[in-house]
Amino acid sequence: MAESSEGLGTVPEHERILQEIESTDTACVGPTLRSVYDDQPNAHKKFMEKLDACIRNHDKEIEKMCNFHHQGFVDAITELLKVRTDAEKLKVQVTDTNRRFQDAGKEVIVHTEDIIRCRIQQRNITTVVEKLQLCLPVLEMYSKLKEQMSAKRYYSALKTMEQLENVYFPWVSQYRFCQLMIENLPKLREDIKEISMSDLKDFLESIRKHSDKIGETAMKQAQHQKTFSVSLQKQNKMKFGKNMYINHDRIPEERNETVLKHSLEEEDENEEEGDEETFENYYRKQRKKQARLVLQPQSNMHETVDGYRRYFTQIVGFFVVEDHILHVTQGLVTRAYTDELWNMALSKIIAVLRAHSSYCTDPDLVLELKNLIVIFADTLQGYGFPVNRLFDLLFEIRDQYNETLLKKWAGVFRDIFEEDNYSPIPIVNEEEYKIVISKFPFQDPDLEKQSFPKKFPMSQSVPHIYIQVKEFIYASLKFSESLHRSSTEIDDMLRKSTNLLLTRTLSSCLLNLIRKPHIGLTELVQIIINTTHLEQACKYLEDFITNITNISQETVHTTRLYGLSTFKDARHAAEGEIYTKLNQKIDEFVQLADYDWTMSEPDGRASGYLMDLINFLRSIFQVFTHLPTNNSDHAAMSGKVAQTACMSACQHLSTSLMQMLLDSELKQISMGAVQQFNLDVIQCELFASSEPVPGFQGDTLQLAFIDLRQLLDLFMVWDWSTYLADYGQPASKYLRVNPNTALTLLEKMKDTSKKNNIFAQFRKNDRDKQKLIETVVKQLRSLVNGMSQHT
């Protein structure tokens, strides 16, 4: 029962397995069959039985099918047998056709092989052409390199080498000829380096020799261009075109072509490549050496303008070449290098010019130097070099130029003063009058109304001085030209330099003239008149400067001329010299005095030396008061000088006489000598009261002798009691008598009294007088001592 149940269970399973075997790919049958053995015991046997049964079923089905199709098969065999004969015929025909095709294809094969061979040749030719086209530029460039080497165009050859290495050789580097070329390039480059270095040395030597010529040409062109620009500006009243070198524009490039045509045309291609750093270093080192040589001036450069010109042309030539090299080469020099070199050179140039110009004493040479510096600066400015420091230097040289002008005009003024006769200018007709007026701006209606002959109040030196001051202004203006300064600045410079001429040079010449021994009193008075007219002419000099610069005098910052103070000082000095010379003359007369200080009685008349002195003073003051003057101002001025001189002379005479009495070497004075001295003082007082110079009020002039008068009156009347009693009182009769002075004179008289009166002690009157003198001396000493203690 159990077996039957198991048998029932396995049958469906076996059927499933058989279905899988029939329907599944043979590669997957293994796992299916394995399941048969993995199943229940005796399953294999049952499966085999089931399999046999299945096979028998299939065989039956095959047999049925074969039986069903057997007749068809038989029919097919019969048909095949019928076709056999036709097939054999077809085979024969195909074989024959194949043979005939084979025979015909042999010729096609031959032609095809020819075509293939031609196609291969064509492809090879195309390949060769392509390779040749790739190689031809290389070969052409290499041929070009050879030509450039033969033509000594080394710069171009180096550029060609660079193109071969960077562009062409990489295309054909696999070919042997390329390797040969590559191996040959270093040798060619070394040859170029050696040749270029040699050419560079020749080039450096060439530009060293031609620098001055290059600089001279550049400066001439700059000057010509500047002159042309100025003329156009004057004609058109507008600035010149865009190609001018001014206003920091470059000079046209044609200049370079003209200046450097022969010396730089070939060399500029030879110095850039090769060993670039080596060439740059060598070039810059050699050029710096040349720069030091160019910047070193000759020791006597300051003696002539040609020395300065050679110095400037060499420097200009040097930097024109540097500028050319900068613009036509790449890397040999740079803007930074040229700027550094220029700044170094500029410092040296300024130091050299400052040192050498200091030796220049000729203003014409200094002016020519200034013009050269301006052309030098303008030329280099046109090439882009900064030159502001040169124009700053020109201001320093301007001060030196003014100094040389001042020295030159000092000589001119001295010559004018030496040639002057210090007399009013005489004129005999209208023509002479107009000549003087054309030289000097003199206006005097009173003089114009006078008939000929007549005289100008000033002497001949005045118009000459005025003309020379104007010439100085013109000379000073010449230096201010081309300095690119405004009219206001030029106006200020002209006025300052003119002030220096007036306040220093002319003033010094006037003072030296006034102090010269041969200049007499009348000449001094004429000098005073001359300075007055020169002072009045200063306003015309200011108008003269204004007309030159077109700067109004009303401008706030306009400098004024200092003629007023200059000529005032000169007048004061002349007046002082008049007083000094008068006093010196008085001293000469006083030195002739020969008093007998021990005389017992006076001569009864004044001393001869004093009368001669008074007569001299009368004649001098008469000349002063009768000087030829044409207007009230001159008369007042002459009168004032005469009054001051007269007062000064009287005061000096009074002081000299007082010093004579109090001289320490004078030990004894007799009463007779005092009386004689009194007679001389009386003559002085009479001279003062005679009004030798008009204009004194009352007894003003006599007061110059008041000290002497009161002192002599005290001794003449022997009024010591009044003097001692009233001393110090405002109403004292002897207010001007100093106790010390009285004591000194009294002691001299006391000693004389003792010596001359040996028997005075035997006469009562003489003894009383001697006692009185001693008593007065004691009182005066007491008074003097009291004054000293109070002080």
Side-chain angles (χ1 to χ4, degrees):
M1 207 53 195
E3 291 178 359
S4 63
S5 61
E6 290 176 2
L8 292 172
T10 57
V11 172
E13 180 66 21
H14 289 163
E15 290 178 356
R16 182 187 64 79
I17 293 172
L18 288 175
Q19 290 176 357
E20 288 184 5
I21 291 173
E22 291 176 355
S23 61
T24 306
D25 189 10
T26 57
C28 299
V29 174
T32 305
L33 293 176
R34 192 179 297 115
S35 64
V36 174
Y37 294 94
D38 292 339
D39 220 343
Q40 297 176 359
N42 300 319
H44 177 265
K45 183 179 178 181
K46 296 177 179 179
F47 175 75
M48 292 303 294
E49 292 176 354
K50 188 68 177 174
L51 180 61
D52 289 339
C54 183
I55 291 172
R56 287 193 296 271
N57 290 332
H58 284 300
D59 287 340
K60 291 177 178 179
E61 290 178 0
I62 293 172
E63 185 177 355
K64 288 179 179 179
M65 186 176 293
C66 287
N67 290 331
F68 176 77
H69 292 289
H70 179 264
Q71 187 59 43
F73 177 72
V74 172
D75 293 338
I77 292 299
T78 302
E79 289 292 328
L80 285 174
L81 290 174
K82 291 179 180 179
V83 179
R84 180 176 182 180
T85 303
D86 293 333
E88 288 178 356
K89 291 180 180 178
L90 179 62
K91 180 179 178 181
V92 173
Q93 291 178 354
V94 170
T95 303
D96 183 59
T97 302
N98 180 56
R99 180 182 56 78
R100 284 185 287 136
F101 269 116
Q102 289 294 332
D103 293 340
K106 288 180 181 179
E107 187 177 355
V108 174
I109 290 172
V110 172
H111 288 296
T112 301
E113 289 177 352
D114 290 341
I115 291 173
I116 292 172
R117 188 166 50 253
C118 289
R119 292 285 178 87
I120 292 173
Q121 289 177 353
Q122 185 180 11
R123 184 172 66 249
N124 291 339
I125 290 172
T126 302
T127 302
V128 169
V129 169
E130 290 176 354
K131 298 300 181 182
L132 286 176
Q133 287 177 344
L134 200 62
C135 294
L136 278 177
V138 179
L139 296 173
E140 288 175 355
M141 289 296 290
Y142 196 79
S143 175
K144 180 180 178 182
L145 173 63
K146 289 294 187 180
E147 292 176 358
Q148 290 169 342
M149 291 291 293
S150 299
K152 297 182 180 181
R153 298 173 58 198
Y154 301 114
Y155 174 75
S156 301
L158 289 170
K159 289 296 183 182
T160 303
M161 287 185 191
E162 183 179 351
Q163 289 182 333
L164 284 170
E165 290 177 327
N166 297 331
V167 180
Y168 294 96
F169 282 167
W171 298 348
V172 294
S173 59
Q174 69 272 24
Y175 301 114
R176 187 166 177 267
F177 78 89
C178 179
Q179 296 299 322
L180 293 175
M181 291 179 181
I182 293 174
E183 292 173 359
N184 195 34
L185 287 186
K187 182 179 182 302
L188 292 177
R189 185 173 280 110
E190 191 63 28
D191 291 343
I192 290 175
K193 179 181 177 181
E194 293 177 359
I195 296 171
S196 297
M197 182 60 75
S198 176
D199 289 347
L200 178 60
K201 291 178 180 179
D202 295 340
F203 169 70
L204 289 170
E205 180 64 21
S206 174
I207 60 177
R208 185 189 66 80
K209 291 180 179 179
H210 294 91
S211 286
D212 55 346
K213 205 69 178 176
I214 295 170
E216 181 180 357
T217 304
M219 290 179 69
K220 284 182 179 178
Q221 290 184 350
Q223 188 175 14
H224 173 73
Q225 215 161 18
K226 180 179 179 181
T227 304
F228 184 56
S229 172
V230 171
S231 64
L232 283 182
Q233 288 177 7
K234 290 181 178 179
Q235 292 174 5
N236 304 327
K237 296 183 179 179
M238 60 182 296
K239 292 184 178 179
F240 188 53
K242 60 183 179 181
N243 285 332
M244 293 305 294
Y245 69 94
I246 56 175
N247 297 327
H248 304 281
D249 292 336
R250 285 184 53 79
I251 296 177
E253 289 301 325
E254 288 79 7
R255 169 182 300 181
N256 289 340
E257 296 176 5
T258 302
V259 176
L260 306 175
K261 180 177 180 181
H262 300 292
S263 61
L264 301 179
E265 190 174 39
E266 296 297 332
E267 294 90 336
D268 59 2
E269 296 183 350
N270 302 337
E271 71 263 14
E272 189 173 357
E273 290 292 344
D275 189 346
E276 183 175 353
E277 185 176 355
T278 301
F279 274 74
E280 289 178 6
N281 293 337
Y282 179 80
Y283 176 84
R284 296 181 184 184
K285 180 179 179 181
Q286 293 302 315
R287 288 296 279 169
K288 285 184 178 179
K289 287 183 179 179
Q290 291 183 2
R292 283 192 288 270
L293 292 175
V294 167
L295 295 172
Q296 186 64 35
Q298 296 181 354
S299 59
N300 62 342
M301 183 179 73
H302 60 276
E303 295 178 358
T304 61
V305 70
D306 290 335
Y308 287 108
R309 184 177 289 109
R310 285 193 299 270
Y311 183 68
F312 286 132
T313 55
Q314 289 178 353
I315 296 174
V316 170
F318 180 91
F319 283 100
V320 167
V321 171
E322 287 302 294
D323 181 77
H324 181 76
I325 297 299
L326 174 66
H327 288 87
V328 301
T329 63
Q330 297 179 356
L332 189 59
V333 296
T334 62
R335 174 56 67 184
Y337 163 78
T338 56
D339 289 344
E340 178 186 359
L341 190 62
W342 169 245
N343 289 331
M344 179 274 292
L346 187 58
S347 299
K348 177 67 175 177
I349 292 167
I350 290 174
V352 167
L353 293 178
R354 184 179 286 125
H356 280 262
S357 63
S358 63
Y359 296 112
C360 295
T361 57
D362 182 6
D364 295 333
L365 178 59
V366 178
L367 185 61
E368 290 181 348
L369 172 60
K370 167 258 174 181
N371 292 332
L372 281 176
I373 293 176
V374 170
I375 297 172
F376 173 75
D378 288 345
T379 303
L380 290 176
Q381 188 180 37
Y383 285 94
F385 295 100
V387 295
N388 291 337
R389 292 172 61 190
L390 285 174
F391 284 102
D392 294 338
L393 174 66
L394 282 175
F395 280 93
E396 297 180 23
I397 298 178
R398 181 201 64 188
D399 296 336
Q400 181 185 347
Y401 175 72
N402 285 337
E403 289 297 324
T404 59
L405 284 182
L406 293 174
K407 290 179 181 178
K408 178 180 179 180
W409 257 257
V412 172
F413 290 152
R414 283 194 296 268
D415 293 341
I416 291 174
F417 290 142
E418 289 293 334
E419 296 171 1
D420 195 8
N421 58 7
Y422 298 99
S423 300
I425 302 174
I427 47 176
V428 297
N429 53 44
E430 184 70 22
E431 183 179 356
E432 292 182 357
Y433 181 85
K434 290 180 178 180
I435 290 174
V436 176
I437 293 299
S438 65
K439 295 179 180 179
F440 183 77
F442 180 82
Q443 296 179 353
D444 186 357
D446 295 335
L447 182 62
E448 292 179 2
K449 295 175 183 178
Q450 293 180 14
S451 59
F452 295 100
K454 51 188 175 182
K455 294 182 179 181
F456 282 97
M458 65 278 187
S459 66
Q460 193 64 47
S461 63
V462 172
H464 291 166
I465 291 292
Y466 182 79
I467 292 173
Q468 287 303 318
V469 173
K470 292 172 66 175
E471 290 297 324
F472 176 87
I473 294 173
Y474 277 128
S476 182
L477 177 64
K478 288 180 181 179
F479 195 93
S480 302
E481 295 174 346
S482 304
L483 292 185
H484 309 305
R485 297 293 171 179
S486 65
S487 298
T488 303
E489 292 175 300
I490 294 176
D491 182 86
D492 185 64
M493 287 188 287
L494 289 179
R495 292 177 184 274
K496 287 182 177 178
S497 59
T498 306
N499 275 331
L500 283 176
L501 179 72
L502 296 177
T503 60
R504 198 170 77 184
T505 305
L506 182 54
S507 176
S508 176
C509 290
L510 281 170
L511 292 177
N512 291 334
L513 171 68
I514 290 167
R515 297 190 181 102
K516 285 187 176 182
H518 70 275
I519 297 297
L521 296 173
T522 54
E523 287 85 354
L524 289 171
V525 174
Q526 184 61 56
I527 290 173
I528 292 173
I529 296 173
N530 289 350
T531 56
T532 302
H533 288 284
L534 288 173
E535 178 185 335
Q536 294 171 352
C538 283
K539 63 179 182 180
Y540 297 100
L541 291 175
E542 289 191 337
D543 294 339
F544 177 71
I545 296 175
T546 299
N547 291 334
I548 292 175
T549 61
N550 293 324
I551 300 298
S552 173
Q553 299 180 36
E554 304 302 324
T555 304
V556 176
H557 301 290
T558 301
T559 304
R560 300 297 178 183
L561 296 185
Y562 301 147
L564 181 64
S565 60
T566 298
F567 298 117
K568 265 189 179 179
D569 294 342
R571 281 198 298 276
H572 292 160
E575 292 171 4
E577 193 66 19
I578 289 175
Y579 311 146
T580 300
K581 287 185 179 295
L582 267 179
N583 294 342
Q584 290 175 349
K585 200 67 178 178
I586 291 172
D587 291 339
E588 293 176 4
F589 279 102
V590 170
Q591 288 175 1
L592 298 176
D594 186 19
Y595 287 104
D596 181 6
W597 297 107
T598 61
M599 64 171 57
S600 57
E601 296 293 336
D603 293 340
R605 63 181 182 276
S607 302
Y609 84 92
L610 187 68
M611 296 307 299
D612 293 340
L613 172 57
I614 290 174
N615 292 332
F616 167 76
L617 293 176
R618 288 187 188 278
S619 62
I620 287 296
F621 294 136
Q622 186 176 10
V623 171
F624 279 5
T625 54
H626 290 84
L627 282 173
T629 57
N630 299 298
N631 57 43
S632 58
D633 292 337
H634 293 156
M637 181 183 64
S638 299
K640 181 180 178 182
V641 172
Q643 289 175 6
T644 306
C646 185
M647 176 59 74
S648 173
C650 290
Q651 290 175 344
H652 185 72
L653 177 57
S654 175
T655 302
S656 300
L657 293 175
M658 180 69 76
Q659 290 175 350
M660 190 184 301
L661 281 177
L662 303 178
D663 188 2
S664 59
E665 295 182 0
L666 179 60
K667 303 299 182 181
Q668 299 175 352
I669 299 178
S670 65
M671 182 56 71
V674 172
Q675 292 172 351
Q676 180 64 41
F677 199 81
N678 183 59
L679 291 176
D680 293 344
V681 173
I682 290 174
Q683 289 300 320
C684 293
E685 291 173 330
L686 291 174
F687 169 74
S689 62
S690 66
E691 198 175 9
V693 174
F696 287 108
Q697 296 181 356
D699 57 353
T700 302
L701 195 58
Q702 292 94 308
L703 292 177
F705 301 98
I706 189 64
D707 291 355
L708 275 174
R709 171 48 51 216
Q710 290 187 6
L711 179 63
L712 292 175
D713 284 350
L714 177 61
F715 278 86
M716 293 294 293
V717 300
W718 210 252
D719 193 8
W720 292 104
S721 58
T722 303
Y723 173 74
L724 294 172
D726 295 343
Y727 177 75
Q729 299 298 322
S732 174
K733 181 180 179 181
Y734 306 102
L735 182 63
R736 307 284 297 184
V737 178
N738 186 287
N740 201 12
T741 303
L743 176 61
T744 302
L745 184 58
L746 188 59
E747 287 181 336
K748 295 175 187 276
M749 294 183 68
K750 181 182 72 172
D751 293 339
T752 303
S753 179
K754 288 181 179 180
K755 183 176 181 180
N756 293 337
N757 297 284
I758 301 175
F759 302 103
Q761 64 269 24
F762 301 108
R763 295 194 295 270
K764 185 176 184 299
N765 290 337
D766 292 333
R767 286 200 308 271
D768 293 342
K769 185 176 181 181
Q770 188 66 27
K771 288 180 180 180
L772 178 60
I773 291 175
E774 291 177 355
T775 301
V776 173
V777 167
K778 290 179 181 180
Q779 291 177 345
L780 288 174
R781 283 177 180 171
S782 176
L783 188 60
V784 170
N785 291 334
M787 291 174 58
S788 300
Q789 293 176 0
H790 178 70
T791 303

